[in-house]
Amino acid sequence: MSPKTETSAIAFRKHDHRRCQRQLLSEARQLCEARKLRLTSRRRQVLEILLASHQPLGAYDILAELNRVDSAERIAPAIVYRALEFLMAEGLIHRIESRNAFISCIHPGHHSAAQFLICRDCEQVAEFENIDPGLLSAADNLGFAVDHSVVEITGVCAECQKHGD
Amino acid sequence: MSPKTETSAIAFRKHDHRRCQRQLLSEARQLCEARKLRLTSRRRQVLEILLASHQPLGAYDILAELNRVDSAERIAPAIVYRALEFLMAEGLIHRIESRNAFISCIHPGHHSAAQFLICRDCEQVAEFENIDPGLLSAADNLGFAVDHSVVEITGVCAECQKHGD
DNA sequence: CGACATAGTGTTATATTATAACGTAACTTA
DNA sequence: TAAGTTACGTTATAATATAACACTATGTCG
């Protein structure tokens, strides 16, 4: 396994997730500061909810979590979608199209193409950077100008295979 | 441009679409016959609507088209979704996750992984077969068992670049 | 043929995901 | 502090998808 794979597939490896979480939040703060953007408390709340795991959450799951934590409020969907829009625009989270869900990015702010391996059993998601050069060269041969890529591979991770489905 | 690319990127090339359409419908019929499956008239209608172009259509677009063509009926969403489910299971169409839409498959019945280049201007979609070997080998190194892949690259095709956006 | 089993369809209702529109609050900067 | 801008809150609704159940068509075996 290459060092690159080690970093990318952190979701599928035991790691100190508290530290992972703190690290990513701190990178997000720095990034917003550098870009003169406001990581408001709503945006931070939504990011923190996503940073809590390497699993994708639906917008309404995030909404439920916000409403659970601060049970005095009754937050509406638009609020969550707006925070998600901001976080995606800044490369702090990704949308998993095949699940209508969102996940924290492990390389915050890199706008490069991401690829995901999604375990359908434990729902952990590993993120990789950089898209298939073969496909890119096919696009290039066609004169196709690439903008955005969605690469989502679903399957069963090694751990879940061990435990049986 | 390789011969493979020529075939795959048919959507981005001038071609006799009538013939393309007839050919794919006939392949679908043969495939269902071979598999002892019923290509009922509903299923055929939905397939034909998708075969009419190399553009993805939403389930509700298909529904509207069914209701337009046979204005006596008032068809419900479930009917369309059921036909789509059958056609996907048999590899006659694909779902484009990044658009919540469906498109006819140009290699009917091959259950192999498909990859798409989607023009955000003309909405034509080119389909390629076989997934990035680099990503597959990363999956393999992790002991990740791949089931299903979603590879959707959005951009602007050569023709639309010429015409300016 | 006729009774049964199964697969497909039609219908109603509802769940899930996402956005539009508009007013208010908070921050920023002169 | 006033004006401009950005973000938030609220209400309503749009767009996408599925569940549940009754009815119909098709196949099949006695």
Side-chain angles (χ1 to χ4, degrees):
Chain A
M1 200 181 293
S2 68
K4 178 61 174 304
T5 301
E6 295 243 342
T7 310
S8 296
I10 189 167
F12 293 147
R13 298 170 49 75
K14 284 188 177 40
H15 63 283
D16 179 346
H17 189 62
R18 288 292 169 87
R19 197 178 146 221
C20 170
Q21 222 172 320
R22 269 200 312 272
Q23 168 71 23
L24 290 169
L25 182 56
S26 138
E27 288 180 37
R29 279 192 214 279
Q30 288 173 247
L31 180 152
C32 288
E33 193 168 1
R35 295 182 186 170
K36 312 261 190 235
L37 297 168
R38 293 166 56 198
L39 187 60
T40 61
S41 77
R42 273 284 175 249
R43 290 167 176 175
R44 188 182 33 70
Q45 279 181 306
V46 170
L47 180 58
E48 283 179 333
I49 289 168
L50 288 171
L51 285 172
S53 74
H54 294 292
Q55 296 170 8
L57 293 177
Y60 283 75
D61 296 332
I62 294 168
L63 184 59
E65 181 61 15
L66 285 172
N67 283 327
R68 194 187 63 74
V69 168
D70 184 346
S71 59
E73 313 186 88
R74 199 67 5 204
I75 291 171
I79 290 175
V80 172
Y81 281 101
R82 275 196 297 235
L84 292 170
E85 184 180 23
F86 169 86
L87 296 168
M88 281 200 287
E90 302 309 323
L92 298 171
I93 65 173
H94 296 286
R95 181 176 161 85
I96 302 294
E97 296 290 348
S98 57
R99 306 218 154 194
N100 295 331
F102 303 85
I103 192 164
S104 55
C105 174
I106 62 168
H107 301 116
H110 299 200
H111 282 272
S112 69
Q115 305 179 138
F116 304 95
L117 293 183
I118 305 165
C119 177
R120 64 173 157 67
D121 196 354
C122 67
E123 305 202 295
Q124 298 284 307
V125 173
E127 177 184 343
F128 295 79
E129 284 193 298
N130 308 315
I131 187 80
D132 178 8
L135 185 54
L136 284 189
S137 81
D140 206 53
N141 285 336
L142 289 164
F144 187 97
V146 171
D147 247 33
H148 178 67
S149 70
V150 171
V151 179
E152 300 170 6
I153 311 298
T154 299
V156 183
C157 75
E159 200 60 24
C160 291
Q161 286 174 66
K162 276 191 225 157
H163 303 150
D165 296 352
Chain B
M1 201 181 294
S2 70
K4 179 61 175 304
T5 302
E6 295 245 341
T7 310
S8 296
I10 189 167
F12 293 147
R13 297 172 49 75
K14 284 190 179 33
H15 65 284
D16 180 345
H17 189 63
R18 289 290 168 88
R19 199 178 144 219
C20 170
Q21 222 173 320
R22 269 200 313 273
Q23 167 71 22
L24 290 169
L25 182 57
S26 139
E27 288 180 38
R29 280 192 214 279
Q30 287 173 248
L31 180 152
C32 288
E33 193 168 0
R35 294 184 187 167
K36 309 260 189 240
L37 297 169
R38 293 167 55 201
L39 186 60
T40 62
S41 76
R42 274 282 175 250
R43 291 167 175 176
R44 189 181 34 69
Q45 280 180 305
V46 170
L47 179 59
E48 284 180 333
I49 289 169
L50 288 172
L51 285 173
S53 74
H54 294 292
Q55 296 170 8
L57 292 178
Y60 282 76
D61 296 330
I62 295 167
L63 183 60
E65 181 61 14
L66 285 172
N67 282 328
R68 193 188 64 75
V69 168
D70 185 345
S71 59
E73 313 185 89
R74 199 69 2 204
I75 292 171
I79 290 177
V80 172
Y81 281 101
R82 276 195 299 235
L84 291 170
E85 184 179 25
F86 170 85
L87 296 168
M88 282 201 288
E90 301 309 325
L92 298 171
I93 66 173
H94 297 286
R95 183 177 159 85
I96 302 292
E97 297 289 350
S98 56
R99 306 217 154 195
N100 295 332
F102 303 85
I103 192 163
S104 54
C105 174
I106 61 169
H107 302 117
H110 300 200
H111 283 272
S112 68
Q115 308 179 136
F116 304 95
L117 293 184
I118 305 165
C119 177
R120 64 173 156 68
D121 196 355
C122 66
E123 305 202 297
Q124 298 285 305
V125 174
E127 177 183 344
F128 295 79
E129 284 192 299
N130 309 315
I131 187 83
D132 179 7
L135 186 55
L136 285 188
S137 80
D140 206 54
N141 285 336
L142 289 163
F144 186 97
V146 171
D147 247 33
H148 178 67
S149 71
V150 171
V151 179
E152 300 170 5
I153 311 298
T154 298
V156 183
C157 75
E159 200 60 25
C160 291
Q161 287 174 66
K162 275 190 224 157
H163 302 150
D165 296 351

